[in-house]
Amino acid sequence: MSAEHISAIADVIAAVAAVMAVVIAHQQLRQVNRSLRHGSLATLLSLESEMNTRKQEVEKCSHDFFKLVASNAAPDEIDSAYRHLEGCFESWLNSVDRFAYCILKKLLRERDWKPEYLPYLRKLLQDHPERFGRGTIYNNCRRLAIRWNIPVPQ
C-alpha cells in the first residue's frame, strides 16, 4: 500500500468520525433543549400554583374582612383584618410580578404564554389600577402590560 492510499483511508476514517461526532452532538443538544423546555414548564407551573394560591388567600381574607365589617366588629379587629388583607394582596401581586419578570427576561417564552396571560394581566390592571400607576413597585407587570399593549394607569 502506498502512502497515498494510507492517507486516503485516514481521511475517510477522520470524515466518518467527524460525522459521528456531529450526530452525537446534535442528539445531545436535542436532549438539552428538551430538558430546558421541561424546566421552563416546571417553572411556569410553580409560578401558576403560587399565583393561584395567593389569589385564593386574598379572596379568603377579603371575605373575612367584609364579614367583620358587616358584623360591626371592634375597630382594632377590622384594622388588623385590613392589614392582613393588604399583606395577602401584596403577596399575590408579587407573584404576578415575578411571572412578568420571567417573561420580560425570556426565562419563559412569551409567545407560548401571552395568549393565556394577556387577559389575566389586563383584568388585573383594570380591577386594581391604583396599584400599577407610575412609581409602582410592580414594575415588571407594568412593563409587560405596556409591551402587550394593555392600557396602564398614569
Side-chain angles (χ1 to χ4, degrees):
M1 233 188 250
S2 70
E4 291 175 357
H5 284 96
I6 293 173
S7 177
I9 292 172
D11 288 344
V12 169
I13 292 173
V16 169
V19 168
M20 288 175 58
V22 167
V23 169
I24 290 170
H26 178 64
Q27 288 175 340
Q28 288 176 339
L29 286 173
R30 281 182 44 201
Q31 289 174 346
V32 167
N33 192 18
R34 202 174 296 131
S35 175
L36 287 173
R37 268 192 246 127
H38 290 302
S40 174
L41 182 59
T43 299
L44 176 72
L45 292 175
S46 175
L47 284 168
E48 276 186 329
S49 174
E50 199 63 33
M51 287 188 310
N52 289 332
T53 299
R54 291 177 184 198
K55 185 176 185 221
Q56 287 172 350
E57 185 66 21
V58 167
E59 290 166 353
K60 181 187 176 304
C61 290
S62 178
H63 174 77
D64 293 347
F65 172 75
F66 286 109
K67 201 172 170 181
L68 280 173
V69 169
S71 70
N72 292 324
D76 61 329
E77 199 174 351
I78 292 173
D79 185 53
S80 176
Y82 179 77
R83 282 185 276 123
H84 182 63
L85 173 61
E86 282 295 307
C88 291
F89 205 89
E90 185 176 323
S91 182
W92 172 43
L93 294 180
N94 282 334
S95 67
V96 176
D97 199 58
R98 221 172 300 125
F99 167 77
Y101 173 86
C102 289
I103 294 289
L104 291 168
K105 297 298 181 183
K106 301 182 187 325
L107 300 173
L108 295 171
R109 287 177 29 172
E110 184 172 354
R111 70 183 175 103
D112 291 344
W113 305 111
K114 183 178 179 180
E116 187 173 343
Y117 285 97
L118 176 71
Y120 183 91
L121 189 58
R122 179 181 291 123
K123 181 158 176 37
L124 183 64
L125 269 75
Q126 285 172 347
D127 291 350
H128 308 286
E130 72 283 358
R131 308 260 182 182
F132 298 100
R134 290 190 194 276
T136 181
I137 61 171
Y138 310 110
N139 281 322
N140 296 311
C141 288
R142 185 176 168 86
R143 288 191 354 233
L144 187 59
I146 291 167
R147 181 189 289 186
W148 287 356
N149 297 319
I150 299 171
V152 295
Q154 297 301 320

